[in-house]
Amino acid sequence: MNLYDRFERAFMPNYGVPPVALARGEGTLVWDVDGKEYLDFIGGIAVTSLGHAHPALVAAVSAQVATLAHTSNLFLHEPEVLLAERLLALLGGPGRVFLANSGTEANEAALKLVIKHGKTTGRGYVVAAEMGFHGRTLGALSLTGKPSIRDQFGPFPTDVRFVPYGDAGALDKAVDENCAGIFLEPTQGEAGVVPPPDGYFAAAREIATRTGALLVADEIQSAIGRTGHWFAHQADGVLPDILTLAKGLGGGLPIGAVVGFGEAGTLFAKGEHGSTFGGNPVSCAAALAVLDNVDLAHVREVAQRLRDGLEAIEHPLLKGVRGRGLWLAAVLTEDRAAQVQAAAQQAGFLVNAVQPDAVRLAPPLVVTPAEIDALTAALPAILTEAHHG
Ligand SMILES: *Cc1c(COP(=O)(O)O)cnc(C)c1O
């Protein structure tokens, strides 16, 4: 029996059977179990920031696992301290860090902070955006504005009210002195890489400050250089009260982080939150290697090249391009993203049909100009195949 059939028999059906079985990778290249080569333009959903098997990541993780792999939170270790200090230095505000293992766990911690803020100041509800994605565990799921994945698992203990993303007036109306917190992505990832109108995040900051709600920036997908900035909110000139990170931070090793700024940094009292694996030395060593090796100037250069290359394509199936930095969606004129993903795979490119009419590109941040040119050169034929095939 082949690997796909064995996967289908052994695993719960929540993922279906993925279309490619990957065996190994190097930089932006990956090979499947049959030896077919692909250029990876999705990077494990904006996770593989340094590309596959980056020598610095391999060295850091190998050395750490051979020295000390785990301590639990009963003991501290140097890599976690270095990582927290490093994140705070990149953020440039007085803050405190909590380390988790994933994005959804980072948002669980953020939601607990918001609930505690609400309890201590008499605030009862939380605001989040329609089509927003914050994770699959119950707290994070309660914030996720996609009814198809959320509603069947409710009701949820937290009163979460949803507003249309990008509409500052709707946010202003929804948030009053009884609101404990506002959860927003600076650009919505799973919704199809949708940036808000200019000034939206600054308006959210102003509304939160005026009403006393905590502003939570979910940068799980948008941070660690993805947009050409360390953090997407830096381009908006806005500092949130709470920041959540995961995906690109570990370069493929599981890690999540929550940063609380100002008073939000000291809301948890001793014993009020924890994680056995969170901030383990191996994941921290990986994150430090990522932060040492992301080259923002390179990201900006190749991001511009990718955008220019996509925008130069004239094709009846391609409506336009949206997104920020190395995090773009090719928006289609018809719901044929799944066909584009399949045709791209056939042609040797891994891309992601993130919405029925949008194909997400989030390659490793080390992608080269030649690799970008290879995709943009192949795309017209891929689009034609997907349009008529
Ligand atoms: C992926 C993602 C999450 C969830 O992260 P997991 O590690 O899959 O739990 C949360 N928020 C955003 C914005 C994401 O992109």
Side-chain angles (χ1 to χ4, degrees), residues 124-162:
Y125 70 95
V126 173
V127 169
E130 289 168 9
M131 294 300 286
F133 183 83
H134 300 289
R136 300 283 198 160
T137 56
L138 288 171
L141 187 61
S142 74
L143 300 162
T144 289
K146 205 176 163 194
S148 63
I149 64 173
R150 174 184 192 270
D151 288 357
Q152 59 187 319
F153 297 105
F156 301 95
T158 306
D159 175 7
V160 183
R161 304 180 186 175
F162 293 95

Side-chain angles (χ1 to χ4, degrees), residues 330-383:
V331 184
L332 307 178
T333 53
E334 293 172 33
D335 284 356
R336 294 188 80 82
Q339 288 85 343
V340 172
Q341 179 185 310
Q345 181 192 319
Q346 202 64 34
F349 299 91
L350 300 182
V351 301
N352 167 241
V354 65
Q355 288 288 324
D357 69 343
V359 178
R360 173 169 49 183
L361 303 174
L365 304 180
V366 297
V367 65
T368 65
E371 288 164 343
I372 291 200
D373 295 350
L375 177 72
T376 49
L379 213 52
I382 290 168
L383 290 168

